[in-house]
Amino acid sequence: MTDLVIRSLDDSEAALFDALPDPLGHHETHRRTRHRPDWRRVALRDGRVVARGAWWGGPDDPEPVNINWFDVAEGETEAGAELLRTAPWRVELELTLPSGWREHAPARAAAETRFAAARTAGYDLLVERFLYRWTPDLGLPPRPTRLVYDPEPDDAVFLDALRRIHSATLDQHALLAIDKGGVDLAAREELDFFHWCPSPREWWRVARTPGGDAVGIHIPAHNPSGPCIGFIGVLPEQRGHGYAYDLLAECTHFLAERGADFIAAATDRGNTPMAAHFERAGFPVVRERICFSP
């Protein structure tokens, strides 16, 4: 087997990046995504692309926050692993797959090739997630009136709520942060994400009962690709009443009232209560995401 050449691309080499087949539909998934040319890398053998990756971050980020496009030709697992190993950034790998990919033999085979390359490069499976996409033709979910939603200018209020929410969480990214630095780190990472989003800080909401008891928070947001459910969180002592649905419905209405022509969202596959709330609110699963941690 001939030697492998791995290199970054420039603006003029889009066709080279597109040379591999696209069995997992990445082109459609990322039609709104802007990848910087120098954050795209390919592995070449005899001048033929056998693996490719696109690292992604916000427009002002000095380094990428993840790699969200990763393809490997059949029989080139080691080339895919080398593409990841030699990258200057060790960030989370997100593989976005068609919904129901396990039941579709070609998609499953393509996914497993990429999984094998990731594991060979030292990445570990972190979590599987459902990706949702609400559009106006689906209709707005019924909007409960049990809670009152108020803006809150003090970040400390949100930080305190996040600490309490993450003290009993099913979210694997939060649990990973807790393993690294405790509940405080998980809360601060979440707050940093809210600030990173380009949507207005004034959108953040604290939810309370009419009597003034704190229930949770919801964050309507825009990420660089468009409107999304930034965060839904219910305080541990208020769980068991279905309030997460109330927060989700309110967040959906909030974004729709501000002209959203779609709303993206996600939750861990293992978070069955939240998945049930998305189903009840009329959010269809459009893709699945497999997250690997370096």
Side-chain angles (χ1 to χ4, degrees):
M1 188 174 286
T2 56
D3 291 340
L4 200 65
V5 175
I6 296 176
R7 65 182 182 85
S8 299
L9 302 180
D10 60 35
D11 275 325
S12 67
E13 296 178 297
L16 188 60
F17 188 84
D18 292 339
L20 270 179
D22 185 28
L24 299 177
H26 286 319
H27 279 97
E28 175 60 24
T29 298
H30 293 300
R31 61 190 176 87
R32 291 176 177 263
T33 309
R34 293 185 179 181
H35 292 106
R36 301 185 199 181
D38 57 329
W39 287 0
R40 295 180 302 170
R41 307 177 80 237
V42 295
L44 302 144
R45 198 183 301 282
D46 290 331
R48 182 174 66 92
V49 177
V50 294
R52 65 183 170 196
W55 281 252
W56 177 85
D60 300 319
D61 290 337
E63 293 186 346
V65 298
N66 60 41
I67 171 173
N68 64 10
W69 188 327
F70 179 57
D71 281 319
V72 184
E74 185 178 352
E76 290 286 358
T77 297
E78 181 55 39
E82 190 66 8
L83 182 71
L84 295 176
R85 272 194 299 257
T86 58
W89 317 284
R90 293 288 284 179
V91 292
E92 184 172 299
L93 169 62
E94 296 184 348
L95 296 174
T96 303
L97 309 176
S99 180
W101 60 273
R102 288 177 176 84
E103 287 69 51
H104 187 252
R108 181 167 185 160
E112 290 178 346
T113 297
R114 287 147 184 78
F115 299 167
R119 291 190 176 102
T120 301
Y123 282 72
D124 296 321
L125 176 65
L126 175 62
V127 67
E128 300 184 24
R129 310 199 81 204
F130 291 126
L131 304 184
Y132 302 91
R133 187 182 181 90
W134 176 89
T135 50
D137 60 289
L138 296 170
L140 284 163
R143 192 178 200 174
T145 57
R146 296 188 294 173
L147 301 176
V148 177
Y149 304 93
D150 296 314
E152 170 54 64
D154 188 355
D155 278 9
V157 173
F158 287 95
L159 192 60
D160 177 67
L162 288 164
R163 289 191 187 101
R164 294 160 66 186
I165 290 164
H166 286 326
S167 69
T169 183
L170 296 174
D171 186 274
Q172 291 299 313
H173 284 89
L175 290 171
L176 179 64
I178 291 168
D179 284 343
K180 291 179 180 178
V183 172
D184 191 67
L185 177 63
R188 290 188 179 279
E189 285 188 352
E190 209 79 66
L191 192 71
D192 288 345
F193 168 73
F194 302 161
H195 279 296
W196 175 85
C197 289
S199 41
R201 166 64 176 81
E202 293 75 22
W203 286 6
W204 305 5
R205 291 293 185 268
V206 173
R208 297 183 176 88
T209 65
D213 294 330
V215 169
I217 61 175
H218 81 82
I219 310 295
H222 276 223
N223 63 28
S225 297
C228 64
I229 305 294
F231 187 82
I232 300 291
V234 177
L235 300 175
E237 66 271 20
Q238 295 285 4
R239 293 175 188 172
H241 305 289
Y243 283 139
Y245 171 82
D246 299 45
L247 296 173
L248 174 59
E250 183 66 23
C251 197
T252 304
H253 278 260
F254 186 98
L255 290 166
E257 288 166 0
R258 284 152 184 80
D261 58 358
F262 74 92
I263 301 172
T267 197
D268 290 2
R269 190 184 185 97
N271 191 344
T272 52
M274 196 65 220
H277 292 311
F278 275 112
E279 182 177 1
R280 180 185 170 192
F283 277 69
V285 176
V286 293
R287 305 279 286 176
E288 297 181 38
R289 177 173 292 153
I290 315 297
C291 300
F292 285 84
S293 179

